[in-house]
Amino acid sequence: MPLLLVVGIFLLFPLANAVYFAFVDFDGLDPAPPWVGLGNFTELAQDRAVWAAFRNNVVWIIIGTVAPLAIGLWLALLVWGVERGGIFYRLAFFIPYVLPQVAVGIVWGWIYEPSRGWLNRVLNAVGLDGLATGWLGNPNTALYAVLFTAIWATFGFVFVIFLAALRNVDMELIDAALLDGANAFARVRYIILPQIMPVFIAVTTITLIGGFAVFDIVFVMTGGGPAGASEVLGTYAYSSAFGLNRISYGTTLALVITVMSIPFAVGLNRLQRRLSLEGGGA
């Protein structure tokens, strides 16, 4: 009973409230907003800005999921065999993850600054001044500059989880593979990954769902600009709800984001549970 009460308060009530706002036209002031039925959903489907933000979310989900997984796994494999200094590496790689996203956004905003930022200064120093640009003000680079920052702030989390999972890998199998002449790629592909696959799927789920819900780092660094070049669904929902006082429209978009992420979360969770029950490793 207490669990049902918690679910009702923290899940069902907010969800029902969001569904209600999606079917009315609430501007934040009217105590009796008019019923519009599917009007918000229809407008959302015809809104070009929504589709542009959705494309940015797709880019974010793909790169923002694959890159931290690859970097985190690679670093974990490197540190796995280190006998001294393991604590230092764990702290060094994990610290960016625990920093406030606002602080990360501000610091990297200065790094990307066109005239005094370190990135352009380094490019100029090594003769690559042709690549220097206003990273956050250029529509062609703004999204990727913010995405790179997010990857930098995320891979440490993936690294720590994978490093913990690697401690449960059967070393006898690794030794046997070494005797058989298996190279590093073969050992990772056929021995290590299968044993940590449940953890790998769980981390993939977390990072992938984060791609749907991304908001804070984009909001801090570009606010979705310039000209919507780095706009994602989360920032567009926020600007619609609180910038234009279109609470219902922003809520509808947030509801759609949630619905889109559910199949991925459920599917990957089932896969992770199945692999765990089959004894797929860590």
Side-chain angles (χ1 to χ4, degrees), residues 133-281:
T133 183
W135 297 95
L136 298 179
N138 185 338
N140 296 320
T141 59
L143 176 67
Y144 298 99
V146 181
L147 179 54
F148 181 85
T149 303
I151 292 169
W152 175 84
T154 305
F155 76 78
F157 163 75
V158 179
F159 158 77
V160 169
I161 300 299
F162 282 160
L163 186 61
L166 288 173
R167 299 189 187 284
N168 295 322
V169 170
D170 189 342
M171 293 305 297
E172 292 184 358
L173 292 177
I174 300 291
D175 294 338
L178 285 170
L179 291 175
D180 290 339
N183 58 31
F185 177 80
R187 294 197 299 272
V188 173
R189 169 68 179 82
Y190 297 105
I191 298 176
I192 295 175
L193 270 182
Q195 293 191 63
I196 66 169
M197 189 53 69
V199 174
F200 189 89
I201 296 297
V203 175
T204 301
T205 304
I206 294 172
T207 53
L208 189 146
I209 299 305
F212 282 100
V214 59
F215 168 77
D216 43 9
I217 192 72
V218 177
F219 184 77
V220 169
M221 295 188 71
T222 65
S230 62
E231 192 87 87
V232 292
L233 292 174
T235 55
Y236 189 61
Y238 178 88
S239 62
S240 297
F242 301 105
L244 303 176
N245 289 332
R246 300 196 64 194
I247 305 296
S248 288
Y249 192 63
T251 303
T252 304
L253 187 51
L255 202 58
V256 169
I257 296 171
T258 303
V259 171
M260 284 193 301
S261 65
I262 287 177
F264 293 93
V266 172
L268 289 171
N269 182 260
R270 286 184 174 179
L271 178 60
Q272 191 266 340
R273 288 185 60 189
R274 184 166 63 83
L275 290 172
S276 297
L277 292 174
E278 291 175 353

Side-chain angles (χ1 to χ4, degrees), residues 24-25 36-51 236 240 244 246 248-250 252-253:
V24 299
D25 185 16
V36 295
L38 296 175
N40 286 320
F41 293 93
T42 304
E43 181 181 348
L44 189 149
Q46 299 172 345
D47 191 340
R48 292 183 179 180
V50 168
W51 288 106
Y236 189 61
S240 297
L244 303 176
R246 300 196 64 194
S248 288
Y249 192 63
T252 304
L253 187 51

